[in-house]
Amino acid sequence: GKGHYCLPLVPIQEVVGFGLLKNDGNKVSKNNYTDLNPLINTMINSKYTKGIQAANVLLSLRLGGILNQCQEQQLVQQVNLTVYYKASTLTSGQLALAILALGACKTPDETSIRYPNLVKNLRNKFKAEIKNMGKHNGNPLTNYYQLSLDVLALCLFRGKFSITQVAKIFEPGNKNFYFQGQFSVDTGAMAVLALTCVKNITNGKKKTDVENLNNINNHIKSLIEKILSQKKENGLLGNIYSTGEAMQALFVSSDYYNESKWDCQQTLDTVIMEIHKGAFRIPTAAAQILPALMGKTYLNVNKDSPCVYGPGDFNISTVEPITVTPPLSPSQIQVNYSVVIIEETHSTTVSVANGSVFLDVMEAAQKENATLFGFTVEERSWGPYITSVQGLTANNNNRTFWELLNNGQPLDQGVGSYIVHEGDNLEVRWSTY
Ligand code: CBY
């Protein structure tokens, strides 16, 4: 554990008092900022940031203290439009994210803005999640990642919730922490952040609170163990897309694990390598990794940062745009594509342009035979999400979904981002999680 430190990519005075991020007095050279440029660029290029995606981006850039006034206003406007015109159609976690983003910083007069009506609305959506669990075999309307966002926002913005209920819901053995038997690192990390917030605002004066605090401490400890058990040889926690939020969870719970259990610098190095390989081209992906790289967590929301930074703190305008590598040749490639529903498989081979994504293949197959390969798709924060194939619709109440695979292996990207290769054996499979 000697020399266990992890330098965030910001001037060191930014993180004084941040438990885990010890430094040896050196300032991080300004060079290191450039590692973040691809992320910042992806997020600020608002052409690709629509609807609730803007909340993810705003939250992240505010925590990083990266926005100038103009950029800030544009994003706030997008989030406001979504929240006020679509409030009733937002899921609980989407609303929670919007509240976190809108309230993530302090205005020049040092007051943090509260959103009592939005918070009340969130409280009702959270209640609806719990009610659904009662009616549908313990399955929430959405998922535990979103329930964690709910609790986090309610906790940070003085919404009402029952600590006893939270301690009960987030029992680490609960099936909602698992997809297909695998512990979900994303979900566990978000739950740790929520539980830590609840722990911090609970004083152990009442007897029931002592009991709740004890349970919550045990949950955090166990969730952290599960997250660390998903650490890969290269330092990633879960996969590349869960690592940022897992790092945040580890930052806020350094009391719960031995420092020899996690080499933060190794994780950071791997993530930075992946940034340069272009792993974070989706704004939401960039937004979820950035705070951890700057030593921030969602618990810093409404704590210390001002909303707007002066020009020149970050010189974003000169950031070179991400160059998307053009396909090597304009040629066509052949890929196999199957729809699998239990014992029934329908396969075809389609020809698509080199550089196409999974969704292009599905569209080509659909054109060929709309009965067998017809599908519906919905825009989510990570891009297009397949909701039905052959008229068969995924349903959270019975934990069904359309799983994406290649050569029998589940993909770690969605249909809009997975780039297909000659000879791929792509599959959408009717599955339960
Ligand atoms: N966000 C959410 O509500 C999503 C929470 C999340 C845990 C999320 C991953 C993590 C995150 N950081 O946002 C999540 N996925 C969930 C809950 C789910 C389930 C959705 C249904 C429900 N109960 O809410 C479900 C069905 C298990 C699921 N994810 C399915 C899939 C597959 C989608 C296929 C399709 N039908 O389009 C897929 C592609 C896995 C597969 N092989 O089939 C998948 N998820 C992936 C890959 C991912 C990652 C996306 C990475 C990327 N580059 O695109 C993910 C980050 C995420 C989004 N899922 Co889910 C996990 C990871 O790899 N680390 C809150 C809201 C406000 O935005």
Side-chain angles (χ1 to χ4, degrees):
K2 289 256 160 52
H4 172 88
Y5 62 79
C6 183
L7 293 171
L9 305 182
V10 286
I12 223 67
Q13 63 267 25
E14 281 271 306
V15 291
V16 166
F18 203 85
L20 191 78
L21 300 167
K22 294 173 204 149
N23 70 81
D24 54 6
N26 293 330
K27 284 201 175 169
V28 180
S29 79
K30 201 152 195 209
N31 273 340
N32 280 340
Y33 289 139
T34 58
D35 286 327
L36 303 180
N37 282 346
L39 300 179
I40 296 167
N41 210 49
T42 299
M43 284 189 266
I44 295 218
N45 193 342
S46 59
K47 199 168 77 185
Y48 303 113
T49 308
K50 29 193 170 170
I52 204 68
Q53 256 185 8
N56 260 306
V57 167
L58 179 63
L59 172 60
S60 181
L61 293 173
R62 274 182 160 177
L63 284 173
I66 288 167
L67 293 167
N68 66 35
Q69 191 154 15
C70 170
Q71 295 157 337
E72 159 107 357
Q73 279 174 358
Q74 277 181 11
L75 282 165
V76 169
Q77 195 182 357
Q78 280 210 47
V79 175
N80 272 330
L81 280 176
T82 310
V83 163
Y84 290 101
Y85 289 108
K86 300 210 178 126
S88 61
T89 64
L90 291 180
T91 64
S92 69
Q94 288 174 330
L95 180 59
L97 209 51
I99 293 171
L100 293 173
L102 291 172
C105 53
K106 287 189 170 144
T107 51
D109 58 6
E110 288 291 296
T111 53
S112 50
I113 314 158
R114 310 235 162 250
Y115 297 88
N117 291 327
L118 293 183
V119 172
K120 222 178 270 166
N121 190 343
L122 175 61
R123 193 178 160 218
N124 290 331
K125 286 186 193 275
F126 181 64
K127 278 188 185 162
E129 296 274 11
I130 308 287
K131 193 171 163 202
N132 201 75
M133 288 177 71
K135 272 208 300 219
H136 296 279
N137 194 27
N139 302 324
L141 289 170
T142 62
N143 53 64
Y144 263 31
Y145 182 91
Q146 295 202 28
L147 265 67
S148 301
L149 279 172
D150 300 347
V151 170
L152 184 60
L154 289 171
C155 173
L156 289 172
F157 291 85
R158 302 188 194 159
K160 274 195 202 148
F161 60 90
S162 148
I163 297 166
T164 309
Q165 192 175 50
V166 166
K168 198 173 132 207
I169 293 172
F170 291 100
E171 212 279 299
N174 188 293
K175 67 172 178 186
N176 290 299
F177 281 109
Y178 301 82
F179 298 128
Q180 301 184 304
Q182 266 269 354
F183 180 71
S184 163
V185 171
D186 314 65
T187 308
M190 199 53 81
V192 166
L193 292 167
L195 291 171
T196 304
C197 180
V198 173
K199 184 192 81 173
N200 291 345
I201 62 160
T202 310
N203 59 35
K205 282 196 181 126
K206 281 184 279 177
K207 192 168 165 240
T208 51
D209 277 353
V210 176
E211 206 174 294
N212 287 330
L213 273 176
N214 193 29
N215 288 336
I216 286 174
N217 272 318
N218 288 335
H219 295 353
I220 295 173
K221 184 149 191 285
S222 158
L223 289 169
I224 287 293
E225 259 166 37
K226 287 172 196 279
I227 290 170
L228 286 172
S229 77
Q230 298 295 315
K231 194 182 58 184
K232 303 297 182 289
E233 230 156 74
N234 59 7
L236 292 185
L237 303 154
N239 66 19
I240 183 71
Y241 302 108
S242 52
T243 297
E245 290 175 346
M247 286 176 81
Q248 290 191 30
L250 292 171
F251 287 166
V252 301
S253 21
S254 50
D255 293 346
Y256 293 78
Y257 61 96
N258 189 300
E259 67 172 45
S260 66
K261 288 274 191 274
W262 180 43
D263 181 351
C264 171
Q265 192 62 49
Q266 188 206 14
T267 303
L268 194 58
D269 292 343
T270 302
V271 168
I272 287 167
M273 220 174 61
E274 290 291 331
I275 293 176
H276 294 295
K277 283 203 234 155
F280 300 99
R281 291 210 179 99
I282 299 176
T284 302
Q288 291 190 5
I289 195 80
L290 183 75
L293 303 182
M294 301 185 79
K296 300 282 180 179
T297 79
Y298 297 151
L299 295 185
N300 295 120
V301 160
N302 78 25
K303 291 289 180 305
D304 42 20
S305 34
C307 286
V308 174
Y309 286 72
D313 287 357
F314 272 84
N315 201 349
I316 295 155
S317 51
T318 61
V319 171
E320 87 277 27
I322 296 183
T323 43
V324 180
T325 30
L328 296 171
S329 67
S331 63
Q332 297 284 112
I333 55 170
Q334 310 277 316
V335 300
N336 305 308
Y337 172 65
S338 311
V339 171
V340 182
I341 305 173
I342 312 174
E343 303 276 86
E344 207 181 296
T345 302
H346 296 283
S347 299
T348 182
T349 301
V350 299
S351 176
V352 290
N354 199 358
S356 295
V357 292
F358 200 127
L359 188 62
D360 298 321
V361 173
M362 294 182 72
E363 275 165 0
Q366 176 170 250
K367 238 185 216 156
E368 182 191 291
N369 186 332
T371 318
L372 290 183
F373 301 117
F375 66 94
T376 57
V377 62
E378 198 180 283
E379 199 56 38
R380 299 235 175 136
S381 52
W382 287 83
Y385 178 91
I386 302 300
T387 46
S388 83
V389 182
Q390 275 186 34
L392 189 54
T393 305
N395 185 340
N396 289 352
N397 286 337
N398 47 31
R399 290 172 68 96
T400 50
F401 79 118
W402 283 99
E403 187 180 12
L404 312 180
L405 306 101
N406 183 30
N407 297 323
Q409 293 302 311
L411 297 178
D412 64 5
Q413 289 180 306
V415 283
S417 20
Y418 180 74
I419 294 174
V420 301
H421 310 94
E422 171 78 38
D424 270 359
N425 294 297
L426 304 170
E427 194 185 313
V428 291
R429 188 189 291 175
W430 178 245
S431 299
T432 58
Y433 56 86

